[in-house]
Amino acid sequence: MNQMVNRFLIATIFLSAPILLAGPPSYEDPKDGKSVLPPEVQPWCETPAPLEIRIGIPGWMAGLSGDTGVKGLVSSPDVSFDQLLRHLTHVPIVLSADIRYQRWEFFGDGQYMEVGDSVTLPGLLFTNAHLHLKSGLLEGFVGYRLINCDKAALSLFAGARYTYQGINLRVFNNGDPRLPILRRLLGIPNGLEASGSTDWVDPVIGARGKVKIWKAISLYAEGDVGGFDANSGSAFELRRQGRTIMRESVDSSDWSYQVQGGLEFQLTRWMWTQVGWRYLKYDYNQGGFTNKTALNGPFIQGGVNF
């Protein structure tokens, strides 16, 4: 019995030796009849270069809507993105940077702009209002790629968003001669003015991703949430009670939400551009300052990568 087993093992080794030493199978080329090796199957997830640096100049045509105010005096501006150029008082300042080392990412962006708007308030007293709003935004994040492929990427990130708000709000009589006695009886002055500025920093967490859909065209998306009532405290608004203006306490809040997405085009080896939409919502009410506004509009960015 042992002799039979030994003979079987020896025969198996001799018969399989040519197969083991032959290497990968070859195929015959139909053109010239020569044997060629089969093409190697490329992996779907190719790891990108370990270091990438991207510098961009974003252009965000963000409309402004919602409630904003200072010292308890609140206004409700409504400037759509297609009207933004008519209301800008200064050229916006913008910049973005994105650095990746292996799976770690360090990125951020910022912008500063000033807008002004005048409205006629409804009512019998026909009062005008003028709002001049300065807004600054600076955010920085640290992210880690859960998916790190040349064709697709997915990251979780955390960081902070710094916001600056400066407001000058004037409410005044437009000179209409009607009902001046009623204005005096109610104790309504010909004008009210409030101005001031505030700034705060919100902790932020979020996720972003990108997937290549065709050659040099990719689809990207990003979303985050911040604030978490980190800066909430006392808040108030001004209310009228008869002929007296009362200061009324209200609930304070500090939250922010942001989503954006669109298409990215790798124009050359060193140049890229993004076209999409961006939405940022604030819910901030603290210390007499109110910023419950939404920045919403088309987003385009161009830059270089190294």
Side-chain angles (χ1 to χ4, degrees), residues 14-198:
F14 275 102
L15 291 175
S16 60
I19 299 176
L20 295 174
L21 299 176
S26 60
Y27 299 90
E28 185 175 300
D29 192 338
K31 294 182 179 179
D32 52 15
K34 296 181 180 180
S35 297
V36 295
L37 293 176
E40 295 184 4
V41 179
Q42 296 293 332
W44 178 85
C45 181
E46 296 184 16
T47 304
L51 178 64
E52 183 181 15
I53 301 175
R54 292 158 58 97
I55 306 296
I57 300 179
W60 185 18
M61 297 293 293
L64 177 67
S65 61
D67 297 330
T68 184
V70 59
K71 298 181 180 178
L73 190 60
V74 180
S75 179
S76 301
D78 187 6
V79 180
S80 60
F81 72 87
D82 58 328
Q83 301 173 334
L84 181 63
L85 293 178
R86 300 201 303 267
H87 294 276
L88 281 176
T89 59
H90 291 77
V91 177
I93 302 174
V94 292
L95 184 66
S96 72
D98 194 326
I99 301 173
R100 178 186 57 81
Y101 178 69
Q102 295 182 354
R103 289 179 176 265
W104 290 98
E105 299 175 328
F106 307 89
F107 61 97
D109 70 302
Q111 79 167 24
Y112 175 83
M113 69 176 182
E114 297 185 23
V115 296
D117 190 22
S118 296
V119 296
T120 299
L121 303 179
L124 293 175
L125 299 179
F126 298 98
T127 302
N128 291 340
H130 177 75
L131 172 69
H132 186 79
L133 177 64
K134 303 176 183 179
S135 63
L137 168 69
L138 182 64
E139 50 189 14
F141 307 108
V142 177
Y144 183 79
R145 284 194 172 185
L146 302 178
I147 300 176
N148 185 34
C149 303
D150 184 60
K151 294 183 178 179
L154 177 64
S155 308
L156 298 179
F157 61 83
R161 177 182 297 119
Y162 169 82
T163 304
Y164 167 82
Q165 182 185 39
I167 301 175
N168 180 268
L169 179 60
R170 290 182 296 159
V171 180
F172 52 92
N173 182 14
N174 65 356
D176 194 300
R178 291 172 288 183
L179 304 177
I181 299 177
L182 178 60
R183 180 184 293 276
R184 289 197 300 268
L185 289 176
L186 294 177
I188 301 176
N190 283 329
L192 291 174
E193 182 172 358
S195 61
S197 63
T198 186

Side-chain angles (χ1 to χ4, degrees), residues 2 5 27 39 78 168 176 190 216 225 236 246 277 286 293 295:
N2 291 334
V5 172
Y27 299 90
D78 187 6
N168 180 268
D176 194 300
N190 283 329
V225 58
F236 66 89
M246 304 293 294
W277 201 272
Q286 194 268 340
T293 58
L295 300 173

Side-chain angles (χ1 to χ4, degrees), residues 279-299:
Y279 176 86
L280 173 59
K281 178 68 169 68
Y282 285 104
D283 185 2
Y284 180 82
N285 193 9
Q286 194 268 340
F289 286 88
T290 299
N291 185 12
K292 296 187 176 183
T293 58
L295 300 173
N296 183 30
F299 178 83

